[in-house]
Amino acid sequence: MTLFANLPYRPNVGVALFNGKGELFIARRADLPGGIWQCPQGGIDDGEQPKDAAFREMEEEIGTRNARFLAEREEWFAYDLPEHLIGRALGGKYRGQTQKWFILGFEGSDMDIKLDTHFPAEFDAWEWVRPEALLKRELGFKRPLYEVLIPELVALYQAASSD
């Protein structure tokens, strides 16, 4: 990793989208082997505010903006790519990503979710699950990230939902 220590982290947002039952939206990556699941996430464009990027990424990846802002994780969460992906993934320009996570409440119906509105589609399947159930899925190298984040995101959702 020291070889890539001079590479920056790519600014990124993550979206923890909860429905009215407190279930978390997860989707399976279409572009990765092994059935990798995750929450919607993506890069922040130059000059874009992180919250705006969260709604844009959600619309690009799952076809809807039909959600309301509930909370955000105060700290950014940085992670390194596995060594074999550095220089290949993320355009080869980054060692990993630093993410700002947003908790959103879904206000639509399942019919609003469309995985094929952006080409190529990032996801090929999706589900609403109890948040801890995500940790039972294949998460690839992002497993440690989600093991830390899921309890925090749930706590933020619960606090925002009780207001």
Side-chain angles (χ1 to χ4, degrees):
M1 187 61 73
T2 56
L3 178 63
F4 302 106
N6 62 333
L7 291 176
Y9 288 98
R10 175 181 176 233
N12 185 282
V13 291
V15 175
L17 181 64
F18 289 89
N19 67 15
K21 299 177 190 174
E23 296 169 322
L24 180 66
F25 178 91
I26 64 170
R28 186 177 62 205
R29 294 287 302 250
D31 60 344
L32 297 176
I36 306 292
W37 291 80
Q38 68 177 51
C39 294
Q41 64 175 59
I44 300 171
D45 292 339
D46 287 340
E48 187 176 36
Q49 293 301 309
K51 189 191 299 185
D52 295 335
F55 279 92
R56 177 187 50 74
E57 283 292 334
M58 187 175 66
E59 184 174 34
E60 286 178 7
E61 293 182 358
I62 70 171
T64 186
R65 283 183 181 249
N66 206 345
R68 70 188 181 289
F69 170 82
L70 296 175
E72 68 184 81
R73 185 177 186 274
E74 287 300 316
E75 299 84 27
W76 289 75
F77 192 103
Y79 69 88
D80 289 329
L81 291 168
E83 230 174 277
H84 71 279
L85 293 178
I86 297 176
R88 293 183 167 164
L90 305 176
K93 300 184 289 189
Y94 303 97
R95 67 184 286 182
Q97 300 192 102
T98 182
Q99 294 184 315
K100 180 69 155 177
W101 278 84
F102 292 89
I103 293 79
L104 304 179
F106 187 58
E107 295 189 321
S109 72
D110 287 357
M111 291 176 39
D112 294 331
I113 297 171
K114 296 178 177 33
L115 303 181
D116 61 355
T117 59
H118 193 263
F119 184 79
E122 183 145 348
F123 302 119
D124 62 9
W126 66 272
E127 294 180 41
W128 293 108
V129 299
R130 300 299 315 159
E132 59 279 1
L134 176 59
L135 300 176
K136 294 179 171 52
R137 300 295 176 100
E138 180 56 54
L139 302 173
F141 69 85
K142 292 182 183 174
R143 175 167 297 284
L145 170 129
Y146 282 111
E147 287 172 346
V148 170
L149 283 175
I150 289 295
E152 292 181 21
L153 298 174
V154 168
L156 288 165
Y157 167 74
Q158 290 172 341
S161 298
S162 66
D163 291 347

